[in-house]
Amino acid sequence: MGKKNIERVKLCGVELNEDFVVISKFTIDEDCMFMPYEEDMDLTNEHVLETVFSKELVEFVYDVGPSINISLAVALGLGVIQSLSDGSKYLYHADVIDDDDRQSHEMLRLGMYYQIMNPDYDDRRLDYLMNVSGGEFYLSTLLFTDTIEPLEKLRAIFATKKGERNNVVGFVK
C-alpha cells in the first residue's frame, strides 16, 4: 500500500478570479438530473453551471499532480480550480453543506478520487467501507451527480485486488 501522493495546500490571501478560477462544471437538465460537464456532450435541455466555491468553507485545496480528471472530481462532489499565475490545478471540496461530517466527507471524496485515479494504490479503509453493510450506500450519498460510475469503478478495483475476475494464476501441484 503505497503512500498517497496528495499535497494539502492552505488557501491564504488568494482570491477567486484574481489568483485562480473555477474550471469544473456540471450540467442540470429539466428533470433536475446532475451530470459532470463533458466538452462534447449534447447540451439540449441542459444548463451548465460551475461547481460552487465557498470562500467561507474551502480552507484547503489539494494538489494531486498535473493531470486531473475533472469529470470524476465533479461526480464525487469535488471541484477544480486553476491558478492564473502558473496554470496549476487543484481539487477542492465543493460541498456547501457546513455540518459536523464535512471534514470526513471531504476525506472520503478525496480517497475515492485518489483510489480510482491510482488503481494500484490500496486504500484498505475505503475497501472495508465498500464491503460493510450500508457502506456503499453511504458512499453513494456523497456523490454529487446522478451517476454510480465512481462506485462501479471502485468495486471493480477492489474486486481485482481480491483475485476476482480470473487474475489469479493457478499453480499445478
Side-chain angles (χ1 to χ4, degrees), residues 125-139:
R125 291 181 305 184
L126 193 55
D127 184 15
Y128 173 78
L129 191 53
M130 286 285 293
N131 289 294
V132 296
S133 177
E136 194 170 319
F137 173 76
Y138 174 66
L139 291 176

Side-chain angles (χ1 to χ4, degrees), residues 24-28 34-35 37 47-52 74:
S24 47
K25 299 174 184 161
F26 64 95
T27 65
I28 182 170
F34 287 62
M35 293 304 285
Y37 170 78
H47 297 284
V48 179
L49 302 163
E50 279 183 354
T51 53
V52 176
V74 171

Side-chain angles (χ1 to χ4, degrees), residues 16-171:
L16 182 63
N17 298 325
E18 271 182 42
D19 302 302
F20 63 87
V21 290
V22 173
I23 60 169
S24 47
K25 299 174 184 161
F26 64 95
T27 65
I28 182 170
D29 68 13
E30 55 203 20
D31 297 325
C32 290
M33 295 286 285
F34 287 62
M35 293 304 285
Y37 170 78
E38 302 279 355
E39 283 296 324
D40 56 354
M41 71 189 307
D42 175 14
L43 294 175
T44 314
N45 302 323
E46 303 275 341
H47 297 284
V48 179
L49 302 163
E50 279 183 354
T51 53
V52 176
F53 185 92
S54 169
K55 237 173 32 176
E56 294 75 37
L57 296 175
V58 178
E59 188 179 352
F60 297 98
V61 294
Y62 300 89
D63 182 352
V64 293
S67 69
I68 290 183
N69 182 329
I70 296 174
S71 179
L72 173 61
V74 171
L76 293 170
L78 301 168
V80 182
I81 61 168
Q82 185 167 22
S83 165
L84 292 172
S85 60
D86 64 8
S88 298
K89 295 176 183 153
Y90 301 92
L91 291 177
Y92 69 92
H93 194 217
D95 192 342
V96 292
I97 296 168
D98 189 13
D99 62 17
D100 295 339
D101 296 326
R102 181 174 169 71
Q103 193 169 15
S104 65
H105 291 172
E106 183 171 356
M107 292 304 114
L108 279 170
R109 285 176 167 129
L110 284 165
M112 287 191 285
Y113 177 87
Y114 194 84
Q115 182 65 70
I116 292 168
M117 293 300 291
N118 301 278
D120 293 338
Y121 182 72
D122 195 8
D123 190 328
R124 296 272 166 87
R125 291 181 305 184
L126 193 55
D127 184 15
Y128 173 78
L129 191 53
M130 286 285 293
N131 289 294
V132 296
S133 177
E136 194 170 319
F137 173 76
Y138 174 66
L139 291 176
S140 75
T141 66
L142 299 179
L143 299 179
F144 176 71
T145 56
D146 295 299
T147 177
I148 58 163
E149 193 177 328
L151 296 179
E152 290 170 342
K153 285 181 179 174
L154 284 173
R155 208 177 305 124
I157 288 167
F158 292 132
T160 302
K161 291 177 185 306
K162 292 182 179 123
E164 296 171 21
R165 304 216 178 97
N166 300 323
N167 68 341
V168 173
V169 177
F171 292 101

